[in-house]
Amino acid sequence: MAAPVNRAQEITVTLRNFVIFSGEGRSFMLFRILAGLIGLFDIANGLYMAISPRAWFATAPGAMATGPFNPHFVTDVGFGYLVGGLALVAFAWNAQLRLLAFGASGFLGLHALFHLSHTVGSHAGDIRTDVAVALPGLIGLALCWPMSPHDWDQPDHSSR
């Protein structure tokens, strides 16, 4: 006869990879929540760019100042946002996917650096727009930067 199962333990085990119920240290949990929020924003932006590139180009601050509308380019960048966002949400759901998120968010980080490069030199545009585009990409990349599990206040789950 099987031993009775504590319902709270069963829920904790079932939802172990979900951010709020993971039992991880607070700072690591906050990193994952923030990564998930940035990921959701990136998914929405990427879908908008891929599904309706002309509407995105007309409404995105500063986009028209970059040159004429190019649907192929806008859609390509949208797919980059979509993949990076999905990876950040995957990391928010399951911390073991941090390296996947790091790799996939590489586009977001490089795109951020490209926009920050606009804030200096002859390509300087609206600095607020470039910083607003750059910050989520750099923060997302930093949140899933590969580290030892002991660098954050999280328990070691390797024995499970």
Side-chain angles (χ1 to χ4, degrees):
M1 177 180 237
V5 176
N6 179 332
R7 186 70 180 146
Q9 286 177 328
E10 183 178 297
I11 290 171
T12 301
V13 169
T14 302
L15 299 174
R16 179 180 312 265
N17 291 328
F18 190 69
V19 175
I20 296 171
F21 299 101
S22 65
E24 296 168 343
R26 287 185 186 153
S27 62
F28 189 66
M29 183 173 67
L30 291 174
F31 276 31
R32 288 176 57 199
I33 290 170
L34 185 56
L37 291 173
I38 291 171
L40 290 174
F41 171 79
D42 288 342
I43 289 169
N45 187 46
L47 286 173
Y48 186 27
M49 293 174 82
I51 293 170
S52 188
R54 186 172 299 281
W56 179 89
F57 189 79
T59 59
M64 288 187 183
T66 64
F69 171 66
N70 180 333
H72 182 102
F73 180 72
V74 172
T75 302
D76 278 353
V77 174
F79 288 145
Y81 269 98
L82 182 61
V83 170
L86 288 170
L88 287 172
V89 169
F91 166 57
W93 182 259
N94 182 340
Q96 293 178 345
L97 298 175
R98 181 174 60 216
L99 287 179
L100 168 81
F102 177 70
S105 64
F107 160 79
L108 302 172
L110 291 172
H111 185 242
L113 291 175
F114 178 69
H115 273 271
L116 287 179
S117 74
H118 289 171
T119 63
V120 296
S122 61
H123 292 85
D126 183 2
I127 291 174
R128 293 170 300 182
T129 301
D130 288 324
V131 170
V133 169
L135 278 179
L138 292 176
I139 292 170
L141 190 63
L143 290 172
C144 56
W145 193 269
M147 302 178 131
S148 163
H150 303 291
D151 290 339
W152 285 317
D153 59 340
Q154 67 171 339
D156 182 9
H157 296 298
S158 60
S159 63
R160 294 183 185 171

PDB file of all heavy atoms in Angstrom, residues 133-150:
ATOM      1  N   VAL A 133      14.915  51.174 -26.118  1.00  0.00           N
ATOM      2  CA  VAL A 133      15.047  49.924 -26.870  1.00  0.00           C
ATOM      3  C   VAL A 133      16.155  49.071 -26.266  1.00  0.00           C
ATOM      4  O   VAL A 133      16.033  47.846 -26.168  1.00  0.00           O
ATOM      5  CB  VAL A 133      15.333  50.218 -28.366  1.00  0.00           C
ATOM      6  CG1 VAL A 133      15.740  48.954 -29.101  1.00  0.00           C
ATOM      7  CG2 VAL A 133      14.118  50.849 -29.025  1.00  0.00           C
ATOM      8  N   ALA A 134      17.235  49.699 -25.842  1.00  0.00           N
ATOM      9  CA  ALA A 134      18.411  48.974 -25.373  1.00  0.00           C
ATOM     10  C   ALA A 134      18.239  48.351 -23.987  1.00  0.00           C
ATOM     11  O   ALA A 134      18.695  47.223 -23.759  1.00  0.00           O
ATOM     12  CB  ALA A 134      19.627  49.899 -25.368  1.00  0.00           C
ATOM     13  N   LEU A 135      17.603  49.051 -23.069  1.00  0.00           N
ATOM     14  CA  LEU A 135      17.551  48.564 -21.685  1.00  0.00           C
ATOM     15  C   LEU A 135      16.932  47.178 -21.536  1.00  0.00           C
ATOM     16  O   LEU A 135      17.531  46.322 -20.879  1.00  0.00           O
ATOM     17  CB  LEU A 135      16.836  49.580 -20.788  1.00  0.00           C
ATOM     18  CG  LEU A 135      17.717  50.724 -20.311  1.00  0.00           C
ATOM     19  CD1 LEU A 135      16.909  51.693 -19.440  1.00  0.00           C
ATOM     20  CD2 LEU A 135      18.925  50.223 -19.549  1.00  0.00           C
ATOM     21  N   PRO A 136      15.748  46.902 -22.102  1.00  0.00           N
ATOM     22  CA  PRO A 136      15.204  45.543 -21.927  1.00  0.00           C
ATOM     23  C   PRO A 136      16.114  44.457 -22.485  1.00  0.00           C
ATOM     24  O   PRO A 136      16.243  43.386 -21.881  1.00  0.00           O
ATOM     25  CB  PRO A 136      13.868  45.590 -22.681  1.00  0.00           C
ATOM     26  CG  PRO A 136      13.511  47.025 -22.766  1.00  0.00           C
ATOM     27  CD  PRO A 136      14.821  47.767 -22.820  1.00  0.00           C
ATOM     28  N   GLY A 137      16.762  44.727 -23.610  1.00  0.00           N
ATOM     29  CA  GLY A 137      17.661  43.731 -24.186  1.00  0.00           C
ATOM     30  C   GLY A 137      18.861  43.451 -23.307  1.00  0.00           C
ATOM     31  O   GLY A 137      19.234  42.290 -23.088  1.00  0.00           O
ATOM     32  N   LEU A 138      19.461  44.502 -22.779  1.00  0.00           N
ATOM     33  CA  LEU A 138      20.630  44.326 -21.913  1.00  0.00           C
ATOM     34  C   LEU A 138      20.252  43.715 -20.568  1.00  0.00           C
ATOM     35  O   LEU A 138      20.964  42.857 -20.041  1.00  0.00           O
ATOM     36  CB  LEU A 138      21.354  45.650 -21.715  1.00  0.00           C
ATOM     37  CG  LEU A 138      22.033  46.211 -22.964  1.00  0.00           C
ATOM     38  CD1 LEU A 138      22.631  47.592 -22.673  1.00  0.00           C
ATOM     39  CD2 LEU A 138      23.103  45.259 -23.484  1.00  0.00           C
ATOM     40  N   ILE A 139      19.127  44.142 -20.022  1.00  0.00           N
ATOM     41  CA  ILE A 139      18.678  43.573 -18.744  1.00  0.00           C
ATOM     42  C   ILE A 139      18.334  42.095 -18.923  1.00  0.00           C
ATOM     43  O   ILE A 139      18.711  41.255 -18.108  1.00  0.00           O
ATOM     44  CB  ILE A 139      17.480  44.371 -18.171  1.00  0.00           C
ATOM     45  CG1 ILE A 139      17.937  45.765 -17.757  1.00  0.00           C
ATOM     46  CG2 ILE A 139      16.850  43.630 -17.002  1.00  0.00           C
ATOM     47  CD1 ILE A 139      16.795  46.713 -17.406  1.00  0.00           C
ATOM     48  N   GLY A 140      17.624  41.765 -20.006  1.00  0.00           N
ATOM     49  CA  GLY A 140      17.288  40.367 -20.268  1.00  0.00           C
ATOM     50  C   GLY A 140      18.521  39.496 -20.399  1.00  0.00           C
ATOM     51  O   GLY A 140      18.590  38.400 -19.841  1.00  0.00           O
ATOM     52  N   LEU A 141      19.506  39.986 -21.116  1.00  0.00           N
ATOM     53  CA  LEU A 141      20.757  39.247 -21.283  1.00  0.00           C
ATOM     54  C   LEU A 141      21.472  39.083 -19.939  1.00  0.00           C
ATOM     55  O   LEU A 141      21.958  38.000 -19.606  1.00  0.00           O
ATOM     56  CB  LEU A 141      21.660  39.963 -22.282  1.00  0.00           C
ATOM     57  CG  LEU A 141      22.891  39.223 -22.765  1.00  0.00           C
ATOM     58  CD1 LEU A 141      22.508  37.955 -23.517  1.00  0.00           C
ATOM     59  CD2 LEU A 141      23.725  40.125 -23.660  1.00  0.00           C
ATOM     60  N   ALA A 142      21.505  40.135 -19.145  1.00  0.00           N
ATOM     61  CA  ALA A 142      22.164  40.071 -17.838  1.00  0.00           C
ATOM     62  C   ALA A 142      21.454  39.109 -16.895  1.00  0.00           C
ATOM     63  O   ALA A 142      22.103  38.407 -16.116  1.00  0.00           O
ATOM     64  CB  ALA A 142      22.229  41.468 -17.219  1.00  0.00           C
ATOM     65  N   LEU A 143      20.128  39.054 -16.970  1.00  0.00           N
ATOM     66  CA  LEU A 143      19.368  38.188 -16.060  1.00  0.00           C
ATOM     67  C   LEU A 143      19.660  36.707 -16.284  1.00  0.00           C
ATOM     68  O   LEU A 143      19.570  35.912 -15.353  1.00  0.00           O
ATOM     69  CB  LEU A 143      17.871  38.445 -16.218  1.00  0.00           C
ATOM     70  CG  LEU A 143      17.370  39.788 -15.705  1.00  0.00           C
ATOM     71  CD1 LEU A 143      15.918  40.000 -16.085  1.00  0.00           C
ATOM     72  CD2 LEU A 143      17.560  39.899 -14.199  1.00  0.00           C
ATOM     73  N   CYS A 144      19.964  36.340 -17.503  1.00  0.00           N
ATOM     74  CA  CYS A 144      20.215  34.916 -17.770  1.00  0.00           C
ATOM     75  C   CYS A 144      21.686  34.633 -18.052  1.00  0.00           C
ATOM     76  O   CYS A 144      22.021  33.580 -18.581  1.00  0.00           O
ATOM     77  CB  CYS A 144      19.315  34.423 -18.895  1.00  0.00           C
ATOM     78  SG  CYS A 144      19.423  35.326 -20.421  1.00  0.00           S
ATOM     79  N   TRP A 145      22.553  35.561 -17.669  1.00  0.00           N
ATOM     80  CA  TRP A 145      23.993  35.374 -17.844  1.00  0.00           C
ATOM     81  C   TRP A 145      24.422  34.108 -17.115  1.00  0.00           C
ATOM     82  O   TRP A 145      24.033  33.895 -15.959  1.00  0.00           O
ATOM     83  CB  TRP A 145      24.728  36.581 -17.271  1.00  0.00           C
ATOM     84  CG  TRP A 145      26.162  36.639 -17.661  1.00  0.00           C
ATOM     85  CD1 TRP A 145      27.207  36.105 -16.980  1.00  0.00           C
ATOM     86  CD2 TRP A 145      26.698  37.262 -18.825  1.00  0.00           C
ATOM     87  NE1 TRP A 145      28.379  36.362 -17.647  1.00  0.00           N
ATOM     88  CE2 TRP A 145      28.096  37.076 -18.795  1.00  0.00           C
ATOM     89  CE3 TRP A 145      26.139  37.960 -19.892  1.00  0.00           C
ATOM     90  CZ2 TRP A 145      28.939  37.544 -19.776  1.00  0.00           C
ATOM     91  CZ3 TRP A 145      26.987  38.435 -20.877  1.00  0.00           C
ATOM     92  CH2 TRP A 145      28.365  38.224 -20.816  1.00  0.00           C
ATOM     93  N   PRO A 146      25.220  33.238 -17.734  1.00  0.00           N
ATOM     94  CA  PRO A 146      25.618  31.993 -17.069  1.00  0.00           C
ATOM     95  C   PRO A 146      26.459  32.259 -15.818  1.00  0.00           C
ATOM     96  O   PRO A 146      27.404  33.028 -15.872  1.00  0.00           O
ATOM     97  CB  PRO A 146      26.458  31.264 -18.117  1.00  0.00           C
ATOM     98  CG  PRO A 146      26.331  32.026 -19.370  1.00  0.00           C
ATOM     99  CD  PRO A 146      25.760  33.367 -19.065  1.00  0.00           C
ATOM    100  N   MET A 147      26.071  31.642 -14.730  1.00  0.00           N
ATOM    101  CA  MET A 147      26.774  31.794 -13.458  1.00  0.00           C
ATOM    102  C   MET A 147      26.710  30.475 -12.710  1.00  0.00           C
ATOM    103  O   MET A 147      25.895  29.623 -13.015  1.00  0.00           O
ATOM    104  CB  MET A 147      26.107  32.854 -12.581  1.00  0.00           C
ATOM    105  CG  MET A 147      26.000  34.220 -13.159  1.00  0.00           C
ATOM    106  SD  MET A 147      25.146  35.273 -11.986  1.00  0.00           S
ATOM    107  CE  MET A 147      26.244  36.639 -11.954  1.00  0.00           C
ATOM    108  N   SER A 148      27.505  30.370 -11.722  1.00  0.00           N
ATOM    109  CA  SER A 148      27.407  29.246 -10.808  1.00  0.00           C
ATOM    110  C   SER A 148      26.125  29.396 -10.005  1.00  0.00           C
ATOM    111  O   SER A 148      25.766  30.506  -9.615  1.00  0.00           O
ATOM    112  CB  SER A 148      28.611  29.261  -9.867  1.00  0.00           C
ATOM    113  OG  SER A 148      28.373  28.447  -8.754  1.00  0.00           O
ATOM    114  N   PRO A 149      25.425  28.295  -9.720  1.00  0.00           N
ATOM    115  CA  PRO A 149      24.206  28.403  -8.909  1.00  0.00           C
ATOM    116  C   PRO A 149      24.462  29.024  -7.545  1.00  0.00           C
ATOM    117  O   PRO A 149      23.565  29.583  -6.945  1.00  0.00           O
ATOM    118  CB  PRO A 149      23.732  26.960  -8.748  1.00  0.00           C
ATOM    119  CG  PRO A 149      24.456  26.179  -9.763  1.00  0.00           C
ATOM    120  CD  PRO A 149      25.695  26.934 -10.132  1.00  0.00           C
ATOM    121  N   HIS A 150      25.705  28.966  -7.091  1.00  0.00           N
ATOM    122  CA  HIS A 150      26.016  29.510  -5.769  1.00  0.00           C
ATOM    123  C   HIS A 150      26.192  31.023  -5.784  1.00  0.00           C
ATOM    124  O   HIS A 150      26.335  31.646  -4.743  1.00  0.00           O
ATOM    125  CB  HIS A 150      27.259  28.826  -5.204  1.00  0.00           C
ATOM    126  CG  HIS A 150      27.094  27.344  -5.134  1.00  0.00           C
ATOM    127  ND1 HIS A 150      26.233  26.734  -4.250  1.00  0.00           N
ATOM    128  CD2 HIS A 150      27.639  26.352  -5.880  1.00  0.00           C
ATOM    129  CE1 HIS A 150      26.266  25.427  -4.437  1.00  0.00           C
ATOM    130  NE2 HIS A 150      27.104  25.173  -5.424  1.00  0.00           N
TER     131      HIS A 150
END
